[in-house]
């Protein structure tokens, strides 16, 4: 029985987190999470590296903690990336079916995929992932698996996620400067659905919005495949900044605690006379009006969600979302946020996602455990990549049929 | 007059020509610099210090619209290092639809910021007949300059010279150049010439800090007995660089009145009453008068309308003072101290700037999302 350790790290704007999982040949591609570690991030703003040295130090500290907890030597790390103005582009490839029976064969699939991958990249951008969405026969019939079906032409539709090259490179360099090999880069938008939704939700069509501290990313999944992704460089950090700016709470920490303890996304049920204490204000005692605090938060969240709604509406992505909207990430914990999202999306149901049990005592009872969803999703994807290497026939998560490993960031 | 305190920088063809026109009419007491990749064009600017960049890259023929190349050419030229020596305030003029202006302008503004030189930026955008591609490009460049420069003005060539049937192409461009040159000249005169209600360089620098962001320039000129009426009507009108419909939403105004030795107190009061009545009651107005015997019986008015106004509180001013090593004592004497009810917005601005200042701004639908939403939406927040 062979055992492999897989590590994923998410260098967030506020916190850097890492997960270590063990993959055993006996577990049929399954992964057991062994340890988690986290530390406050230094040198990152809006998910972009501001100080390479500080980020390296943070990575080193988190991975050392993880190694200590799991009693494992760690050399290779998978990275979850949420900056670099992530964007998704539709790509496709075609193949003429030349065999006498006009039946699609594996070879034709490979040709179509190869053509799809040849779609030129945008200057200054780096491809992170390329994923299949569906196959179309003769431009009409959409099929799951085209092999052995008769047709004269095969089209493979896919999505390519890409990021700003230099921004992404800065993260990879920071990990390597900390003394570790950067293995694969995943985008947060493509990892979040695996960490916080069920297979049923992904099959029925779901919009996952990952509200991080520095950025907000979203992805639409249908038939268990990601069909669109997007990104907005606004996150929980902006809410904190708005509070700090409005009430002069003195420190970022006090504004953040005010947001966590009293913040909510809608003004419903707020007593306009209620005042709340600013928790760690330096100097004299201070209180703020709860309605004013909520107005500041509501304005920011409403704007963020509306921008996403507008983008999805423009791209005609709001149809066939049978499972509605699922929120994850630290900012998803804001009280009443699902209600606000439902209101902005004209009544579409919304809930906060659920992270499966990871059997880690330190986070098992944590009400804010949804913030680990993206990291866990990345661990599942990395595990899938590993099993795919050993056994190419293993299907794993159909969502993760990557045609190309995302190692071309250098 | 301290000649070096005020420096005028023109970038590219359009910027150089405007700066040269200003320098031509005010040959003494002003330092003017023109930077260009087109050596033939810059050679014609006889009233400026000429800085040629990109000789190896472009061979002196202009950047051909290559913005990045022009920016690199600037970095390669050490002759630009001394532009801001001893300067307190710089007026920077550039056409932002073409290569040299668009590429070099951000570099110049960063350079000025590093040296703590306050900048007033005039970004000239093309006539609409020059094509949609240039207009779009100018809009893109304008967005990328959002965090740079202290106060910025977008000057549409069409505003500077309204299209008329009898205008030749040469007339149109010349008039646009002259109109903007007049505006800049008046700003310089306002700070550079003596007057009874003075706005010196340090005061102007403080006002620039308070009004950081986008602003509008208005100019009005009148002569003879009805000069007040003529000048204010031109200033508040909608043609030329009249303020017209830009008066709505102005957060503050700086008014400069430039007259000859015959300028009367009642005329100053009349000008201020007319401008004051066109603005909201709450809009703070700062004014200065200048006596310029060379203009004879004319009256020149120049107004800077600030779209945002974040007056320095005393605490902020103290910090600002630490950043500004020079002229400490004189600044203490003239520092503009905000009324108490305005202090909060100053602190807001400061915090907002510090937090995301090193990140690329997030622009969506023409709005910078790094600015707090409640400020952009002008929501009433009870902060008591």
């Amino acid at each position: 029985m062979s055992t492999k350790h897989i590590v994923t790290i998410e260098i967030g704007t506020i916190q850097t987190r890492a997960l270590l999982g063990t993959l055993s040949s006996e577990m049929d591609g399954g992964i057991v999470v062994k340890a988690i570690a986290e530390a406050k991030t230094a040198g990152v703003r809006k998910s972009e590296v501001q100080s390479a040295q500080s980020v390296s130090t943070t990575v080193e500290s988190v991975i050392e903690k993880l190694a200590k907890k799991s009693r494992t030597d760690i050399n290779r790390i998978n990275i979850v990336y949420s900056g670099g103005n992530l964007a998704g582009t539709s790509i496709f490839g075609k193949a003429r079916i030349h065999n006498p029976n006009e039946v699609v064969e594996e070879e034709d699939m490979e040709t179509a995929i190869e053509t799809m991958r040849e779609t030129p990249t945008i200057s200054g951008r780096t491809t992170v992932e390329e994923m299949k969405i569906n196959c179309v026969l003769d431009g009409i019939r959409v099929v799951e698996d085209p092999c052995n079906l008769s047709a004269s032409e095969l089209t493979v539709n896919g999505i390519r996620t890409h990021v700003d090259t230099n921004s992404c490179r800065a993260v990879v360099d920071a990990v390597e400067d900390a003394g570790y090999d950067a293995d694969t880069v995943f985008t947060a938008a493509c990892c979040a659905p695996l960490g916080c939704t069920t297979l049923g939700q992904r099959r029925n069509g779901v919009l996952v919005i990952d509200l991080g501290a520095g950025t907000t990313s979203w992805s639409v999944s249908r038939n268990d495949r990601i069909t669109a992704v997007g990104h907005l460089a606004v996150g929980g950090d902006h809410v904190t900044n708005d509070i700090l700016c409005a009430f002069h709470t003195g420190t970022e920490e006090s504004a953040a605690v005010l947001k966590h303890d009293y913040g909510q996304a809608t003004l419903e049920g707020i007593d306009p006379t209620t005042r709340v204490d600013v928790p760690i204000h330096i100097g004299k005692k201070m209180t703020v009006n709860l309605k004013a605090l909520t107005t500041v938060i509501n304005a920011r969240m409403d704007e963020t969600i509306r921008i996403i709604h507008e983008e999805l509406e423009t791209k005609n992505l709001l149809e066939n979302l049978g499972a509605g909207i699922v929120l994850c990430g630290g900012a998803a914990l804001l009280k009443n946020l699902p209600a606000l999202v439902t209101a902005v999306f004209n009544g579409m149901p919304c809930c906060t996602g659920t992270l499966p049990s990871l059997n880690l005592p330190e986070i098992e009872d944590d009400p804010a455990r949804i913030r680990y969803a993206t990291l866990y999703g990345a661990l599942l994807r990395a595990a899938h990549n590993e099993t795919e290497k050993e056994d190419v026939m293993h299907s794993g998560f159909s969502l993760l049929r990557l045609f190309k490993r995302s190692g071309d960031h250098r | 007059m301290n000649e070096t305190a005020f420096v005028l920088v023109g970038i590219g063809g359009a910027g150089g020509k405007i700066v040269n026109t200003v320098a031509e009419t005010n040959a003494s007491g002003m330092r003017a610099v023109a930077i260009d990749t087109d050596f033939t064009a810059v050679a014609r600017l006889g009233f400026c210090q000429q800085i040629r960049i990109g000789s190896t890259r472009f061979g002196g023929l202009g950047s051909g619209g290559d913005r990045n190349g022009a920016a690199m050419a600037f970095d390669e030229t050490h002759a630009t290092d001394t532009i801001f020596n001893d300067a307190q305030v710089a007026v920077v003029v550039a056409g932002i639809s073409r290569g040299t202006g668009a590429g070099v302008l951000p570099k110049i503004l960063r350079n000025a910021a590093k040296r703590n030189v306050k900048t007033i930026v005039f970004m000239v955008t093309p006539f609409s007949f020059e094509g949609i591609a240039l207009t779009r490009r100018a809009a893109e460049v304008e967005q990328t300059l959002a965090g740079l420069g202290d106060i910025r003005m977008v000057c549409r060539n069409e505003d500077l010279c309204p299209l008329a049937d009898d205008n030749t192409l040469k007339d149109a461009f010349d008039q646009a150049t002259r109109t903007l040159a007049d505006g800049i000249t008046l700003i310089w005169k306002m700070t550079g010439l003596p007057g009874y209600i003075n706005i010196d360089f340090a005061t102007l620098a403080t006002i620039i800090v308070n009004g950081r962001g986008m602003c509008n320039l208005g100019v009005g000129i009148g002569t003879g007995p009805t000069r007040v009426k003529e000048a204010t009507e031109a200033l508040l009108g909608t043609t030329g660089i009249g303020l017209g419909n830009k008066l709505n939403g102005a957060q503050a105004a700086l008014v400069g009145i430039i007259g000859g030795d015959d300028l009367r107190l009642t005329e100053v009061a009349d000008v201020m009453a007319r401008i004051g009545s066109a603005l909201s009651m709450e809009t703070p107005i700062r004014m200065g008068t200048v006596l310029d015997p060379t203009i004879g019986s004319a009256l020149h008015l120049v107004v800077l309308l600030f779209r945002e106004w974040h007056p320095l509180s005393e605490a902020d001013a103290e910090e600002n003072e630490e950043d500004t090593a020079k002229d400490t004592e004189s600044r203490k004497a003239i520092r503009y101290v905000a009324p108490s009810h305005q202090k909060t917005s100053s602190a807001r601005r400061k915090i907002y700037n510090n937090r995301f200042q090193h990140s690329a701004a997030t622009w969506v639908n023409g709005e910078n999302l790094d600015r707090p939403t409640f400020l952009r939406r002008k929501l009433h927040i009870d902060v008591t």
Side-chain angles (χ1 to χ4, degrees), chain A residues 45-46 50 232-234 237-238 241-242 244-248 252 275 289 292 295-296 299-300 303 307 310, chain B residues 344 347-348 351 355-356 358-362 364-365 369-374 376-377 379 381-384:
Chain A
R45 185 66 76 202
K46 291 163 84 175
Q50 302 279 322
L232 182 66
V234 170
D237 209 16
H238 283 78
N241 186 51
D242 290 2
L244 185 62
C245 195
F247 303 106
H248 317 298
E252 285 175 28
R275 297 192 71 81
N289 180 289
T295 304
V296 169
R300 174 61 77 174
E303 178 183 53
I307 290 169
E310 198 177 306
Chain B
T344 44
R348 282 175 190 167
I351 291 161
R355 195 155 173 85
F356 297 114
H358 298 301
S359 310
T362 304
V364 175
N365 300 331
L369 300 192
D370 291 344
R371 288 199 63 211
T373 314
F374 73 91
R376 280 181 282 118
R377 301 275 177 273
L379 297 179
I381 306 294
D382 175 13
V383 293
T384 54

Side-chain angles (χ1 to χ4, degrees), chain A residues 59-174:
Chain A
V59 169
E60 203 175 346
S61 142
V62 171
I63 297 298
E64 269 177 14
K65 271 190 207 172
L66 193 69
K68 206 172 168 185
K69 275 187 175 180
S70 61
R71 293 177 191 165
T72 311
D73 285 335
I74 297 171
N75 301 312
R76 287 169 56 209
I77 304 175
N78 298 285
I79 301 166
V80 185
Y81 185 55
S82 53
N85 281 322
L86 164 74
T89 306
S90 296
I91 49 175
F92 69 92
K94 290 190 177 202
R96 298 292 305 173
I97 312 303
H98 290 300
N99 64 62
N101 302 327
E102 285 203 336
V103 168
V104 179
E105 295 175 348
E106 279 290 342
E107 217 174 83
D108 301 314
M109 270 295 278
E110 281 166 21
T111 307
I113 288 166
E114 207 50 50
T115 323
M116 186 179 80
R117 287 179 55 185
E118 281 166 7
T119 309
T121 49
I122 301 164
S123 168
R125 309 277 297 173
T126 289
T127 299
V128 181
E129 294 136 332
E130 283 172 342
M131 291 168 281
K132 187 176 82 174
I133 296 174
N134 60 26
C135 296
V136 182
L137 298 176
D138 297 328
I140 305 170
R141 286 186 295 152
V142 179
V143 294
E144 175 73 16
D145 183 0
C147 289
N148 299 324
L149 296 175
S150 60
S152 56
E153 188 186 67
L154 166 69
T155 306
V156 176
N157 291 311
I159 180 170
R160 171 184 283 164
T161 60
H162 47 92
V163 295
D164 176 69
T165 302
N166 291 334
S167 303
C168 185
R169 184 175 289 174
V171 175
V172 174
D173 286 349

Side-chain angles (χ1 to χ4, degrees), chain A residues 188-401:
Chain A
C190 292
C191 296
L194 275 183
C196 67
T197 59
T198 62
L199 181 62
Q201 284 175 308
R202 296 196 298 271
R203 278 189 177 152
N204 285 328
V206 66
L207 165 66
V208 175
I209 304 177
D210 181 0
L211 296 134
T215 58
T216 298
S217 53
W218 56 264
S219 63
V220 173
S221 302
R222 288 195 188 100
N223 298 321
D224 196 22
R225 292 181 194 282
I226 288 176
T227 57
V229 297
H231 166 274
L232 182 66
V234 170
D237 209 16
H238 283 78
V239 180
T240 307
N241 186 51
D242 290 2
I243 295 171
L244 185 62
C245 195
F247 303 106
H248 317 298
T249 54
T251 62
E252 285 175 28
E253 287 74 18
S254 57
V257 174
L258 206 53
K259 175 180 77 175
H260 292 140
D261 290 358
Y262 304 106
Q264 66 176 60
T266 60
L267 287 156
E268 277 161 27
I270 297 280
D271 175 1
T273 60
T274 306
R275 297 192 71 81
V276 295
D277 291 330
V278 176
I280 2 174
H281 185 248
I282 297 168
K284 65 178 183 180
K285 191 173 182 291
M286 184 182 171
T287 62
V288 300
N289 180 289
L290 183 59
K291 189 182 172 193
L293 174 70
T294 312
T295 304
V296 169
I297 296 172
N298 170 263
R300 174 61 77 174
M301 295 313 299
D302 185 85
E303 178 183 53
T304 305
I305 301 298
R306 270 181 208 286
I307 290 169
I308 294 172
H309 176 259
E310 198 177 306
E311 190 176 351
L312 288 161
E313 197 169 42
T314 311
K315 293 179 176 171
N316 278 331
L317 292 168
L318 291 174
E319 289 170 14
N320 302 322
L321 292 177
I325 303 163
V326 172
L327 308 178
C328 68
L333 298 162
L334 189 66
K335 198 176 158 192
N336 286 356
L337 187 58
L340 175 70
V341 174
T342 296
V344 172
F345 277 77
N346 304 318
M348 192 176 285
C350 174
C351 63
T352 306
T354 311
L355 179 73
S357 172
L358 304 184
N359 291 320
L360 294 171
E362 57 263 61
I363 66 164
E364 211 52 32
D365 298 324
D366 182 357
R369 58 204 294 278
I370 192 63
R371 65 180 70 166
Y372 303 102
T374 304
L375 190 60
Y376 178 60
L379 190 71
L380 295 178
R381 291 186 61 182
H384 174 75
N385 275 2
E386 288 291 339
T387 52
E388 204 175 37
K389 265 188 249 171
E390 288 173 355
D391 175 8
V392 290
M393 297 306 289
H394 181 80
S395 60
F397 300 92
S398 55
L399 182 70
L400 305 173
R401 280 189 180 168

Side-chain angles (χ1 to χ4, degrees), chain B residues 64-203:
Chain B
D66 181 359
R67 190 164 113 194
N68 294 333
M72 284 187 264
F74 177 83
D75 287 339
E76 289 157 8
T77 312
H78 295 291
T80 55
D81 294 350
T82 55
I83 293 174
F84 296 114
N85 280 0
D86 302 322
Q88 282 181 25
V89 174
V91 170
V92 185
V93 191
I96 55 169
S97 59
R98 296 179 197 272
T100 309
V104 174
L105 181 57
K107 298 270 178 188
I108 282 282
L109 296 180
R110 284 196 188 97
N111 204 333
K114 268 186 209 159
R115 290 158 179 265
N116 204 26
V117 176
K118 303 290 177 277
T119 44
I120 304 173
V121 189
F122 290 89
M123 299 181 276
V124 184
T125 63
F127 283 107
S128 58
F129 61 68
E130 293 181 75
I132 188 72
L134 282 188
T135 310
R136 277 196 189 136
R137 186 170 181 175
E140 276 170 31
V141 174
E142 187 195 326
Q143 283 205 349
T144 61
L145 290 169
L148 298 172
D150 289 299
I151 56 176
R152 300 180 302 280
M153 274 163 275
V154 176
C155 304
R156 294 170 62 233
N157 262 334
E158 252 128 9
D159 290 345
L160 300 174
C161 170
L163 295 175
D165 290 343
D166 55 348
N167 265 3
T168 63
L169 196 63
K170 184 178 180 304
D171 284 344
F173 279 98
D174 283 353
Q175 193 184 329
T177 302
R178 261 198 317 275
T179 311
L180 190 50
D182 285 348
I184 295 168
T185 302
L186 292 178
I187 293 176
W188 171 74
K189 280 186 176 176
M190 202 163 68
T191 54
L193 296 180
Y196 288 100
I197 307 168
N198 209 0
I199 293 175
D200 59 17
F201 285 115
T203 311

Side-chain angles (χ1 to χ4, degrees), chain B residues 27-356:
Chain B
S28 63
M30 176 185 292
R31 192 154 64 88
V33 180
I35 304 167
D36 206 347
T37 51
D38 183 340
F39 297 172
T40 315
V42 81
R44 292 191 197 115
L45 310 176
F47 295 89
C48 302
Q49 176 194 342
Q50 298 161 7
I51 297 182
R52 294 164 173 79
I53 60 170
S55 58
T56 50
R57 203 172 276 275
F58 302 117
L61 300 172
S63 67
D66 181 359
R67 190 164 113 194
N68 294 333
M72 284 187 264
F74 177 83
D75 287 339
E76 289 157 8
T77 312
H78 295 291
T80 55
D81 294 350
T82 55
I83 293 174
F84 296 114
N85 280 0
D86 302 322
Q88 282 181 25
V89 174
V91 170
V92 185
V93 191
I96 55 169
S97 59
R98 296 179 197 272
T100 309
V104 174
L105 181 57
K107 298 270 178 188
I108 282 282
L109 296 180
R110 284 196 188 97
N111 204 333
K114 268 186 209 159
R115 290 158 179 265
N116 204 26
V117 176
K118 303 290 177 277
T119 44
I120 304 173
V121 189
F122 290 89
M123 299 181 276
V124 184
T125 63
F127 283 107
S128 58
F129 61 68
E130 293 181 75
I132 188 72
L134 282 188
T135 310
R136 277 196 189 136
R137 186 170 181 175
E140 276 170 31
V141 174
E142 187 195 326
Q143 283 205 349
T144 61
L145 290 169
L148 298 172
D150 289 299
I151 56 176
R152 300 180 302 280
M153 274 163 275
V154 176
C155 304
R156 294 170 62 233
N157 262 334
E158 252 128 9
D159 290 345
L160 300 174
C161 170
L163 295 175
D165 290 343
D166 55 348
N167 265 3
T168 63
L169 196 63
K170 184 178 180 304
D171 284 344
F173 279 98
D174 283 353
Q175 193 184 329
T177 302
R178 261 198 317 275
T179 311
L180 190 50
D182 285 348
I184 295 168
T185 302
L186 292 178
I187 293 176
W188 171 74
K189 280 186 176 176
M190 202 163 68
T191 54
L193 296 180
Y196 288 100
I197 307 168
N198 209 0
I199 293 175
D200 59 17
F201 285 115
T203 311
L204 182 64
T206 308
I207 290 170
I208 290 170
V209 171
N210 292 342
R212 186 174 293 171
M214 289 302 291
C215 94
N216 299 110
L217 172 73
V219 171
I221 297 173
T223 50
T226 57
R227 59 190 180 179
V228 170
K229 189 167 178 281
E230 268 177 45
T232 48
E233 278 176 2
L235 177 80
L236 304 173
T238 51
T239 56
I241 28 184
L243 291 166
N245 48 16
K246 295 162 195 154
L247 291 160
N248 278 342
Q251 300 297 308
L254 171 65
V255 178
I257 303 169
I258 300 146
D261 288 336
D262 61 344
L263 180 65
R264 294 192 301 274
L265 189 61
T266 50
E267 287 180 312
V268 173
D270 195 6
V271 166
M272 292 310 293
R274 285 167 186 260
I275 294 173
S277 64
L279 292 165
S280 146
M281 291 281 284
E282 288 80 28
T283 308
I285 303 174
R286 180 89 188 193
M287 69 160 293
T289 60
V290 172
L291 298 183
D292 181 3
T294 63
I295 65 169
S297 66
L299 176 72
H300 293 184
L301 303 177
V302 57
V303 172
L304 288 178
L305 268 192
F306 298 95
R307 316 312 300 175
E308 294 178 23
W309 188 247
H310 308 279
L312 289 178
S313 68
E314 284 175 87
D316 291 336
E318 290 299 333
E319 259 183 52
N320 194 38
E321 185 185 347
E322 282 170 23
D323 297 339
T324 315
K326 49 192 174 182
D327 294 340
T328 308
E329 288 310 310
S330 63
R331 274 162 194 264
K332 273 182 187 168
I334 52 87
R335 185 178 304 130
Y336 181 79
V337 178
S340 59
H341 70 277
Q342 290 177 321
K343 284 184 182 175
T344 44
S345 68
S346 148
R348 282 175 190 167
R349 177 71 182 195
K350 192 169 156 51
I351 291 161
Y352 140 65
N353 274 340
N354 285 345
R355 195 155 173 85
F356 297 114

